[in-house]
Amino acid sequence: KTVTKLFKDSGNFTLRLALIDHVNGACSDTIQVNYTVPSNPTVDFGYVPVCEDSIATFSDLTRVNFGGTNYPNSWHWNFCDSTKANCDTSAGYTGNNEPPSFVYGFPNGGEFYVTFTVKTSLGCVGSITKPIYVNPTPKVNFAVKNTCADSAVQFTDVTTVPPGNKVVGWIWDFGDPLSNNTGHNNTSTLQNPKHLFTKPAYNYQVQMIAITQAGCRDSIVKNVQIYPLPISSFSAPSRCVGIAVPFANGSTMPNTAIDDSISRYYWDYGDGTTDSVSDPVHVFKRSGNFNVKLSAFSTHGCPDTITEKLFIYPLPKPFFKVKGNCERDSVTFNNMTTDSFGKLNNTSYTWDFGDTGVANYIISPRHQYRYPSTFKVNLTAVDS
């Protein structure tokens, strides 16, 4: 007769089988056998938290009591997502020697369930399931606007992480070589830094690295354009009051890696009037020093301004008095002209006596009128 027995514990047991004569019970015999019930392995594993872009290492912490010929020879890993519906059951190993550790790369961060099953040489099986958390890497991103060369560029961190995680560190590399002349650094650890690039009109490769509280990191590289500034320039000759002044516009764009051009101009003549043409002509209605300002704007709206002083000469002040104004007398014209800036001499005057008579280059002439009348006398003075 065959008897089955379920042992609730492992260990060493003594089995006794007694045979008794069924007729009178007088005859009997007993046999005793020592029997060992091998134990199921006490399965456990160790795990060091990692980031989703790293390889996780699992260590076998399984124990087997009452060993001897009962030793582990089959190991199997089962990785399921948080729903336990999607599992990877392909990780296993069978043999006499277990690898020192098992490595696995998780497809993403978050919660997973890991089941580790160990089977011994005698067919005893143990298993354990543990929830583990794979730290997610940040989804790194930043916002930036392409900027003119004379302005600091504002960088804004827009990195995202799953709930329960937080970005605690930032490393910026602006791709901008250090310059002894500016003192600006090409790196930053601020979340939202500003940076004034040392070399204008260039495409920069800007890298941002974000680091979470678990030490997980990721990076992104973006192109940032620094638009060049125009180089404003002009020339203009000094003229007298009321004489048109031509302005020669010499503004240019620098030869840079970014193709750009000048799109518009703005002139401020310093006398309350303005203009927007490229090469204007302007008449100043008063004399003196004027701060003439030219602003040139590129197609990206980047400005450059230059201011030059322009002197407008004042006019001399012609004046004369008349002595002796009878018919056939010689009339004396006493020149009392004064100069405001330039010098005056006898070559500076032209007289028109109003009776077809003229006199050039005479300071105070005499003139005889041959008939009585009213005459309009004109004196023109030209300074140096």
Side-chain angles (χ1 to χ4, degrees), residues 103-303:
V103 295
Y104 186 79
F106 290 90
N108 52 268
E111 189 176 52
F112 292 85
Y113 287 91
V114 178
T115 300
F116 182 38
T117 302
V118 178
K119 186 176 182 180
T120 70
S121 56
L122 297 179
C124 301
V125 179
S127 181
I128 189 173
T129 298
K130 285 185 180 182
I132 67 169
Y133 188 77
V134 178
N135 296 300
T137 57
K139 307 305 178 186
V140 182
N141 199 6
F142 64 86
V144 61
K145 289 184 178 180
N146 296 329
T147 308
C148 299
D150 61 342
S151 301
V153 181
Q154 176 67 65
F155 294 88
T156 303
D157 171 31
V158 292
T159 300
T160 58
V161 289
N165 294 271
K166 183 180 180 181
V167 176
V168 296
W170 302 265
I171 301 174
W172 297 84
D173 186 337
F174 302 112
D176 184 16
L178 291 174
S179 171
N180 293 330
N181 296 326
T182 62
H184 297 296
N185 203 331
N186 64 346
T187 61
S188 177
T189 56
L190 299 176
Q191 181 179 7
N192 301 303
K194 285 185 177 181
H195 183 70
L196 182 62
F197 287 86
T198 57
K199 183 180 178 182
Y202 193 74
N203 288 311
Y204 288 91
Q205 298 282 320
V206 178
Q207 182 188 53
M208 173 194 172
I209 300 174
I211 307 169
T212 67
Q213 83 281 3
C216 300
R217 62 175 60 196
D218 200 3
S219 64
I220 190 174
V221 176
K222 286 187 177 183
N223 286 329
V224 177
Q225 284 191 334
I226 304 300
Y227 297 131
L229 300 179
I231 303 172
S232 297
S233 175
F234 71 90
S235 62
S238 292
R239 291 287 188 264
C240 301
V241 173
I243 304 299
V245 178
F247 288 86
N249 191 339
S251 301
T252 59
M253 289 298 298
N255 184 18
T256 65
I258 298 177
D259 188 20
D260 207 347
S261 61
I262 297 177
S263 62
R264 63 186 178 94
Y265 299 98
Y266 177 80
W267 295 86
D268 185 339
Y269 298 114
D271 62 353
T273 60
T274 60
D275 212 336
S276 60
V277 298
S278 176
D279 296 277
V281 175
H282 183 66
V283 177
F284 291 87
K285 296 181 179 180
R286 56 185 174 85
S287 63
N289 281 307
F290 294 88
N291 291 320
V292 180
K293 181 166 60 178
L294 169 61
S295 298
F297 297 85
S298 71
T299 54
H300 292 103
C302 299

Side-chain angles (χ1 to χ4, degrees), residues 315-336:
L315 302 180
K317 299 178 180 179
F319 184 70
F320 63 88
K321 289 185 178 182
V322 180
K323 182 180 181 181
N325 54 348
C326 294
E327 182 182 1
R328 292 186 298 278
D329 284 346
S330 290
V331 180
T332 299
F333 294 89
N334 186 16
N335 191 339
M336 304 178 68

